Amino acid sequence: MKILIACDMEGITGVTRWEHCDSTHSEYTRFRKLMTEDVNAVADGAFSAGVDEIFVGDGHNRGQNLLIENLDHRIAYNNGTFSPWSMMNGIDQQIDAVMLIGYHAKAGTGDAILAHTWSKEVLDLKINGSSMGEFGLNAMIAGYFNIPVIMVSGDQAIAAEAEGLLPEIETAIVKQAFGYFSGCCPAPEQTQALLKQKARKAVEKYFAGESSAPLKIAAPIDIEVEFHMPHMAEAAARMPGAERRSGRSVGMICRNVPEAFAAFRTMCNLI
Ligand SMILES: [Zn+2]
């Protein structure tokens, strides 16, 4: 069995501030180490349950956060940007299941640490009329390749968001959010034990046929992005095929998941 651990940073053990995830800030050094340790704990649990091969995708900012020299020696590390599938890079490499580690709730969620969708400029992303965050977007990409998402880690808000889409997903809640910038964060020793245990259980459920099915989105896919300011929607609407739907929102009807994902990334890059 080969899995992809696709990771982000805002949902990593101990993270409650943007400074923790900002490579120009002195605090970042501590949290990239914790991110690496969270990933190693997940990998350890997955290997112990019978996984043969692990790819890790680094999905935060420029995709160069994990410390390769400190990664479990059995892991292959996908890093850098721009990559074909962005946060899900590696998904097209004969993967059997995905774990989304260090994730955060979608933009606008209350009591959720650093809740956002892709960038601070996006107020909401709708796919076929349903509001989705990065979890839903990336689960949709996995679903396009017919791959299930079997585990998520982060605060209790992303755990609830993930269970809303995939009820059988294993959730590792590594912190309890009290607000956008606050939460109760157990020590790494505790969260890493939890991550290892949940990863092991997620793989066992996969082998037992008890994981949620891949997330399938019916095509054609209507993608709509609501931006923070009208001038952003103005810029995004210049993309061929896109239409302005309101002062702040732009939509596009796409033939399939790759096209919808490319449209979303392009809109976000145009603003
Ligand atoms: Zn991030």
Side-chain angles (χ1 to χ4, degrees):
M1 180 186 186
K2 183 173 176 181
I3 65 167
L4 173 66
I5 299 176
C7 54
D8 200 358
M9 197 161 188
E10 292 84 355
I12 290 298
T13 293
V15 169
T16 53
R17 305 279 310 179
W18 290 114
E19 293 91 318
H20 298 163
C21 317
D22 174 355
S23 63
T24 64
H25 198 280
S26 58
E27 283 284 277
Y28 172 77
T29 313
R30 295 173 55 216
F31 289 94
R32 70 187 304 198
K33 184 167 169 282
L34 285 166
M35 183 180 180
T36 308
E37 290 170 0
D38 274 13
V39 167
N40 281 343
V42 171
D44 198 21
F47 280 127
S48 75
V51 165
D52 306 296
E53 206 178 336
I54 296 183
F55 263 26
V56 170
D58 191 332
H60 177 71
N61 201 6
R62 292 184 182 156
Q64 273 156 345
N65 307 284
L66 294 168
L67 296 163
I68 188 169
E69 59 273 36
N70 293 352
L71 276 178
D72 184 308
H73 69 280
R74 296 165 289 183
I75 290 173
Y77 180 33
N78 254 313
N79 73 102
T81 192
F82 304 106
S83 51
W85 292 101
S86 187
M87 298 177 79
M88 293 295 275
N89 214 39
I91 192 69
D92 53 355
Q93 303 298 308
Q94 285 82 49
I95 299 293
D96 295 300
V98 175
M99 295 176 173
L100 299 181
I101 300 305
Y103 265 57
H104 50 83
K106 68 181 179 179
T109 307
D111 293 340
I113 292 168
L114 304 179
H116 68 285
T117 301
W118 204 260
S119 78
K120 291 173 196 165
E121 286 78 27
V122 173
L123 290 183
D124 197 14
L125 162 68
K126 284 201 177 93
I127 294 172
N128 285 349
S130 298
S131 175
M132 283 208 190
E134 290 172 33
F135 178 89
L137 180 71
N138 289 325
M140 172 184 86
I141 293 167
Y144 172 73
F145 288 95
N146 213 25
I147 300 168
V149 179
I150 61 173
M151 176 176 170
V152 67
S153 79
D155 64 16
Q156 82 283 5
I158 183 56
E161 186 178 317
E163 283 173 332
L165 287 167
L166 302 172
E168 302 308 324
I169 193 165
E170 276 303 309
T171 62
I173 299 174
V174 299
K175 51 196 168 185
Q176 194 73 26
F178 300 140
Y180 191 81
F181 290 129
S182 69
C184 177
C185 302
E189 204 171 331
Q190 293 181 49
T191 60
Q192 287 160 19
L194 177 71
L195 288 162
K196 183 177 173 181
Q197 177 215 325
K198 292 287 186 171
R200 187 178 173 89
K201 191 165 172 210
V203 173
E204 286 169 356
K205 276 170 78 171
Y206 174 84
F207 282 132
E210 293 166 1
S211 303
S212 283
L215 184 68
K216 291 289 185 186
I217 304 291
I221 298 169
D222 184 335
I223 184 165
E224 187 172 298
V225 186
E226 186 185 0
F227 292 98
H228 183 55
M229 296 287 286
H231 66 82
M232 297 169 182
E234 243 170 75
R238 293 198 187 104
M239 183 174 67
E243 57 175 9
R244 187 86 174 263
R245 292 191 180 165
S246 76
R248 289 193 301 213
S249 67
V250 177
M252 183 168 163
I253 309 289
C254 302
R255 287 169 297 181
N256 50 37
V257 168
E259 191 174 279
F261 184 52
F264 178 61
R265 286 176 85 179
T266 306
M267 284 185 204
C268 291
N269 283 339
L270 283 172
I271 63 172

